[in-house]
Amino acid sequence: MLTVSGAVRVLVDPRTERDGDVVLDDGSTDATVLDASGCVVTAGLVNAHHHLLQTAFRTLPGTRGVPMADWLPTMAGAYARVGHDPELYGLAASVGAAEGLLSGVTTVADHHLNWPVDGSAADTVALASATADAVRALGGRLVFVRGSARDDPDRAAASADAIVGALLAPGAVGGTDPDGRLQVAVGPAGVHSDGEATFRALGEVAARHGLRRRTQANEQVDTAIALERHGRRPIDLLEEWGWLAPDVTLAHLCDVTDDEIARLATAGVSATHAPGCDVPMGWGIAPVARLLDAGVPVGLGTSGGGSNDAGHLLADARLAMQVSALVGPQLPARRLLGAATEGSAIGLGRPELGHLGVGTAGDLCVWDVSGVADAGVDDPVAGLLWASPGRRPRHVVVGGRVVVRDGQLVGVDERELAARLRERLARTPAV
């Protein structure tokens, strides 16, 4: 039995105001007591859109507030200088996942787009395995999205097939391991990068293995490129290519019309808002209120370190709340907390994640609201976003296992992780 001590505020349903209680049971006869006095308890946060490799490439010159046409080659040059190998991928994933856990993210979706140009399917399996092993070692949950960015369609599909076979255990359903710790999905970078052949090839892989599909769409730059190359908007192309369906989640969606939102809702598509990327890059702001009001489930993601130098989902939920009034009505804090938990889980096809209660995965965060940053706050749940956005949770539990206790990773030295990544980046890769 997992119990908490002290006077505790538990957020069960972000759609309600100021009520909630829950009994937590991880199925164990051993009791773990966590001091939660003066705290708010929420479900574990779900980062529905990240690029973990970019954790190793933050604040690079020439990557802020620039057109995507300039940003992409700058990032590609950085990857090429450092090299593609399992060590780098594992270290970047370790640091990114650790940063996430230390900010309350219990599940992270890694839309992995960077692969060695001449790498074999076996090479891509080694890179994917290094990423998965790194996140698992820390106790977090990973959704590994075999992405594509101008990859050969047949090679991308062969790689995705191989990754599914290598990473998922027997008995996996819907691309998710029986223990729920690892999920595999597929997703091209977007119509600005990949053509119809790639979308159809990865769609066939998804159908073969029962995987979720994810892609990026309708940032302002994405729309401009689609119109220039195809004479059509991204949503039109995705519909034609078979990528408007209930198993599809679209990240960004900054530049969408009311008609397109209605089509997404009718198709059963879900969305992921990534303001920590789109706002500083000047790529737009998703109309979250309009999407939600139309019936489109909306999750939240940080995107990668190449455009958002932090993987702190709660801080991005605060940003989403603050900028929402620029494109519609002001969204309340609890609705953005809902996006960062249950909304993200819906887009991953994971109903057991993102909320608390009987039959859920047992992922939770204990947030200390007893300090000066929260003094004078009337609603401590709303205060999680309005006050002290860079806060660390006091404790984090994943599947009944404590992975962060008293603000520190359990059994892992975060400074050692950081030092190992810095050392690897300083080395020239072997030829």
Side-chain angles (χ1 to χ4, degrees):
M1 176 71 72
L2 177 66
T3 60
V4 291
S5 65
V8 184
R9 184 73 168 267
V10 181
L11 175 67
V12 178
D13 186 346
R15 290 163 292 199
T16 65
E17 293 295 327
R18 299 174 181 261
D19 331 286
D21 194 17
V22 67
V23 176
L24 303 171
D25 187 351
D26 67 350
S28 171
T29 58
D30 299 324
T32 299
V33 177
L34 296 175
D35 178 11
S37 56
C39 291
V40 167
V41 178
T42 71
L45 306 183
V46 180
N47 187 341
H49 187 65
H50 202 345
H51 305 290
L52 285 174
L53 180 61
Q54 290 182 17
T55 304
F57 302 94
R58 300 193 260 195
T59 70
L60 294 180
T63 62
R64 287 298 168 273
V66 298
M68 186 175 282
D70 297 334
W71 182 84
L72 287 171
T74 301
M75 293 298 296
Y79 301 140
R81 285 191 297 275
V82 176
H84 297 268
D85 59 68
E87 180 190 22
L88 172 65
Y89 283 47
L91 289 172
S94 291
V95 171
E99 180 186 17
L101 288 170
L102 289 168
S103 56
V105 173
T106 53
T107 301
V108 59
D110 177 25
H111 194 176
H112 194 94
L113 300 172
N114 305 98
W115 306 97
V117 175
D118 298 322
S120 65
D123 293 331
T124 65
V125 166
L127 297 172
S129 297
T131 302
D133 291 345
V135 178
R136 249 193 303 233
L138 293 167
R141 301 183 192 272
L142 174 69
V143 181
F144 187 84
V145 186
R146 200 301 178 186
S148 169
R150 300 183 179 87
D151 296 3
D152 175 82
D154 293 334
R155 289 169 67 94
S159 164
D161 274 324
I163 287 170
V164 169
L167 265 61
L168 294 181
V173 177
T176 303
D177 267 351
D179 66 1
R181 298 285 178 150
L182 178 64
Q183 180 180 355
V184 176
V186 295
V191 302
H192 62 271
S193 173
D194 296 285
E196 180 178 0
T198 300
F199 277 88
R200 293 203 180 276
L202 289 179
E204 290 168 5
V205 173
R208 200 155 44 241
H209 300 288
L211 310 180
R212 297 281 304 182
R213 295 180 288 167
R214 306 180 65 83
T215 190
Q216 303 172 125
N218 288 66
E219 291 168 300
Q220 292 169 348
V221 287
D222 184 62
T223 303
I225 293 172
L227 288 170
E228 179 183 350
R229 292 182 182 171
H230 303 281
R232 304 175 68 189
R233 290 173 60 84
I235 299 299
D236 299 324
L237 295 169
L238 292 174
E239 184 172 40
E240 180 181 309
W241 299 347
W243 275 67
L244 291 191
D247 66 319
V248 172
T249 301
L250 303 180
H252 302 296
L253 292 179
C254 302
D255 177 29
V256 282
T257 66
D258 288 339
D259 173 70
E260 288 170 337
I261 291 173
R263 287 159 62 192
L264 296 177
T266 299
V269 171
S270 56
T272 303
H273 185 29
C277 161
D278 294 325
V279 171
M281 297 300 290
W283 291 343
I285 303 171
V288 174
R290 285 162 52 206
L291 289 162
L292 289 170
D293 290 346
V296 178
V298 178
L300 195 68
T302 60
S303 199
S307 57
N308 177 359
D309 298 300
H312 199 308
L313 193 66
L314 198 66
D316 281 10
R318 182 180 196 260
L319 176 62
M321 179 180 65
Q322 291 176 318
V323 302
S324 62
L326 299 177
V327 291
Q330 173 76 60
L331 291 172
R334 288 168 183 261
R335 205 163 191 192
L336 270 306
L337 279 171
T341 50
E342 188 176 18
S344 290
I346 289 170
L348 298 175
R350 302 290 298 277
E352 79 278 16
L353 302 178
H355 55 105
L356 299 173
V358 176
T360 62
D363 298 355
L364 63 88
C365 299
V366 180
W367 306 92
D368 188 344
V369 295
S370 64
V372 294
D374 294 281
V377 169
D378 179 66
D379 177 0
V381 173
L384 291 177
L385 268 62
W386 283 115
S388 189
R391 73 178 75 227
R392 281 192 177 192
R394 183 185 290 180
H395 313 298
V396 177
V397 178
V398 181
R401 173 189 169 193
V402 181
V403 295
V404 173
R405 184 187 286 271
D406 297 322
Q408 301 296 322
L409 295 168
V410 174
V412 181
D413 185 341
E414 65 175 285
R415 290 171 182 78
E416 180 181 344
L417 291 180
R420 289 173 59 199
L421 178 58
R422 291 189 188 101
E423 189 277 330
R424 171 60 186 84
L425 292 172
R427 262 192 280 132
T428 302
V431 179

